[in-house]
């Protein structure tokens, strides 16, 4: 098959809460009839992103076109999950015009992009480009720069491990793979700080990808789709820390054991405002990296979406609870491996009342 007739696939990566789902929602709402298939991978097993996207009501994102892979990070389940999913997608009679893959915020894009070199895939699909979404406000606040001193000390003591924090390493690996970098959340910082973020990223890179600034993931689909890079042919030049480490002869599996996630199920939240205040304190005191899900607020016909990235919390009511649907509060919590799950569960139960 000629290159021109391959289906283009865009890989959207970026750390937890950077704005990947927001970017995809905006893209779908503005896709102008282009038939897009979505593959969504999440670290926590609650499937919030898929649910948010299915709830958007756009014609281009019918439920049939959304495949959720919630069985761990896509980079570790390429052979078992991703390849079979792609094969099924390609076997469909109504093949999509474009495939968009949202990786989990903890995934390394490299193994996923490399999978496009698998024989059954390479002849039919090409990676149009890797888009890395950056939470510019979090970068400006130093979120990815040596902020986990305890863990760093541990790693420094262990000769077998890299000497960077897991957040910093992952952030760099996701940038290393990028063809296009979206400096998202530009609304939260000054123009000067945004310039600082751009310069800081550029200073760490040997390649020079394209940068686009964004607010609320608002990037025109023509900018995101149609990069035409064929990234699978260049992925060997964009190695992750993990791959470089292996080349040095170290045996250290990339298995996400530096991060932990769990789902908390609660009853109705009596005092929504008090709950959010308490949540903010809890997030800071336990260094929760990401918390998201849905809450049942008594007296409200709609379910409330809860989105926390660091101590920033957004809430909104997205849709009415369905007729046969059990009203329930369900939150996924993600943190570093030593996160105190028992204490967090107990505090959340107390806060919900
Ligand atoms: N202020 C501001 N908030 C944003 C922007 N983009 C996204 N958000 C908010 O950030 C939160 C996380 O956004 P998501 O799109 O869910 O992020 P994500 O990268 O898909 O998150 P994970 O899949 O959990 O890694 C949500 O509350 C969004 O509304 C932005 O440009 N500015």
């Amino acid at each position: 098959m000629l290159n021109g007739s391959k289906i283009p696939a865009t890989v959207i990566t970026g750390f937890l809460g950077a704005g990947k789902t927001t970017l995809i929602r905006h893209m779908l709402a503005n896709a102008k009839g282009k038939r897009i298939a979505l593959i969504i991978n999440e670290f926590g097993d609650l499937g919030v992103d898929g649910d948010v996207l299915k709830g958007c009501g756009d014609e281009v994102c019918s439920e049939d076109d959304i495949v959720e892979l919630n069985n761990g990070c896509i980079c570790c389940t390429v052979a078992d999950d991703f390849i079979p999913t792609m094969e099924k997608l390609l076997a469909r009679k109504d093949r999509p015009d474009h495939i968009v893959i949202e990786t989990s915020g903890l995934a390394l894009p490299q193994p996923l992009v490399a999978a496009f070199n698998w024989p059954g895939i390479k002849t039919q699909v090409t990676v149009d480009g890797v888009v890395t979404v950056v939470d510019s406000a979090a970068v400006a606040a130093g979120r990815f720069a040596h902020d986990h001193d305890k863990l760093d000390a541990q790693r420094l003591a262990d000769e077998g491990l890299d000497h960077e924090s897991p957040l910093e390493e992952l952030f760099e690996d996701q940038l290393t793979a990028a063809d296009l970098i979206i400096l998202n959340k530009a609304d939260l910082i000054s123009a000067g700080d945004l310039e600082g973020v751009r310069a800081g990223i550029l200073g760490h890179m040997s390649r020079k990808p394209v940068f686009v600034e964004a607010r609320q993931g608002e990037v025109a689909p023509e900018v995101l789709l149609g990069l035409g890079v064929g990234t699978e042919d260049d992925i060997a030049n964009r190695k992750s820390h993990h791959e470089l480490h292996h080349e040095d002869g170290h045996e250290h599996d990339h298995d996400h054991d530096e991060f932990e996630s769990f789902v908390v199920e609660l009853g109705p939240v009596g005092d929504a405002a008090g709950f959010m205040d308490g949540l903010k304190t809890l997030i800071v005191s336990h260094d929760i990296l990401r918390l998201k899900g849905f809450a049942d607020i008594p007296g409200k016909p709609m379910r409330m979406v809860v989105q926390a990235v660091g101590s920033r919390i957004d809430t909104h009511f997205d849709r009415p609870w369905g007729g046969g649907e059990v009203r329930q509060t369900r939150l996924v919590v993600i943190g570093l491996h030593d996160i105190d799950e028992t204490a967090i569960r107990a505090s959340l139960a107390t806060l919900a009342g």
Side-chain angles (χ1 to χ4, degrees):
M1 197 178 283
L2 294 172
N3 202 36
S5 56
K6 290 184 184 181
I7 300 177
T10 297
V11 175
I12 314 258
T13 182
F15 194 67
L16 296 166
K20 299 177 289 297
T21 309
T22 308
L23 180 91
I24 292 172
R25 269 194 87 151
H26 181 269
M27 180 193 71
L28 292 174
N30 295 279
K32 299 191 188 96
K34 196 180 258 229
R35 182 107 195 279
I36 296 172
L38 276 182
I39 299 177
I40 303 171
N41 168 233
E42 277 200 85
F43 188 64
D45 59 5
L46 201 52
V48 177
D49 292 358
D51 217 87
V52 163
L53 287 165
K54 282 176 195 162
C56 72
D58 290 317
E59 215 177 279
V60 277
C61 65
S62 77
E63 293 206 15
D64 287 351
D65 290 330
I66 302 180
V67 185
E68 290 177 75
L69 300 181
N70 293 340
N71 190 23
C73 260
I74 203 165
C75 55
C76 299
T77 58
V78 162
D80 294 336
D81 277 348
F82 176 67
I83 299 279
T85 300
M86 282 296 279
E87 283 168 348
K88 245 188 254 164
L89 204 61
L90 296 170
R92 275 165 50 161
K93 262 208 311 273
D94 49 347
R95 300 193 351 157
D97 301 323
H98 204 108
I99 299 170
V100 171
I101 303 154
E102 177 183 355
T103 72
S104 101
L106 298 177
L108 297 180
Q110 284 83 353
L112 175 64
V113 175
F116 285 83
N117 286 316
W118 284 43
I121 307 288
K122 194 173 176 63
T123 49
Q124 304 189 63
V125 193
T126 181
V127 180
D128 185 47
V130 174
V131 175
T132 303
V133 185
V134 171
D135 180 339
S136 307
V139 177
R143 190 68 174 131
F144 302 101
H146 294 294
D147 59 343
H148 291 279
D149 298 341
K150 186 166 60 114
L151 216 115
D152 274 350
Q154 216 175 316
R155 295 173 78 82
L156 281 165
D158 183 342
E159 281 297 304
L161 296 177
D162 277 348
H163 293 167
E164 281 181 315
S165 80
L167 264 73
E168 189 179 16
E169 218 176 89
L170 198 60
F171 179 64
E172 286 180 7
D173 287 343
Q174 292 174 342
L175 289 168
T176 300
D179 294 299
L180 173 66
I181 295 177
I182 309 289
L183 296 176
N184 195 35
K185 306 201 184 180
D187 54 309
L188 296 179
I189 56 173
S190 70
D193 283 348
L194 195 62
E195 252 337 286
V197 171
R198 185 200 308 260
I201 291 173
L202 265 175
H204 270 87
M205 298 191 72
S206 48
R207 284 182 316 108
K208 301 285 170 256
V210 177
F211 284 85
V212 171
E213 293 169 15
R215 288 161 182 76
Q216 304 296 349
E218 288 171 11
V219 180
E222 303 78 58
V223 174
L224 287 177
L225 310 179
L227 295 172
V229 178
T231 317
E232 68 275 22
D233 293 334
D234 189 48
I235 199 63
N237 299 319
R238 306 183 188 187
K239 290 198 167 64
S240 66
H241 283 85
H242 171 67
E243 289 164 314
L244 293 168
H245 207 62
H246 258 294
E247 284 176 1
D248 287 348
H250 290 100
E251 288 299 325
H252 169 46
D253 281 343
H254 168 77
D255 53 12
H256 302 287
D257 60 1
E258 281 147 341
F259 298 92
E260 188 65 61
S261 93
F262 55 93
V263 174
V264 182
E265 297 189 355
L266 303 166
V269 175
D271 170 12
F275 184 78
M276 294 313 151
D277 281 348
L279 199 55
K280 201 173 175 118
T281 310
L282 190 71
I283 286 171
V284 173
S285 60
H286 287 278
D287 201 7
I288 294 172
L289 296 171
R290 183 83 166 101
L291 183 148
K292 60 183 173 178
F294 307 101
D296 168 18
I297 312 296
K300 299 281 183 193
M302 311 262 278
R303 69 175 185 182
M304 189 168 84
V305 179
V306 181
Q307 289 270 16
V309 182
S311 64
R312 265 196 77 84
I313 306 178
D314 289 336
T315 60
H316 66 276
F317 291 93
D318 78 327
R319 66 158 173 81
W321 291 98
E325 193 178 13
V326 180
R327 291 177 66 118
Q328 209 181 11
T329 301
R330 300 187 80 208
L331 301 167
V332 59
V333 181
I334 306 178
L336 286 170
H337 72 108
D338 55 355
I339 192 165
D340 191 343
E341 178 177 340
T342 310
I344 292 169
R345 282 184 182 282
S347 299
L348 284 171
T350 308
L351 282 175

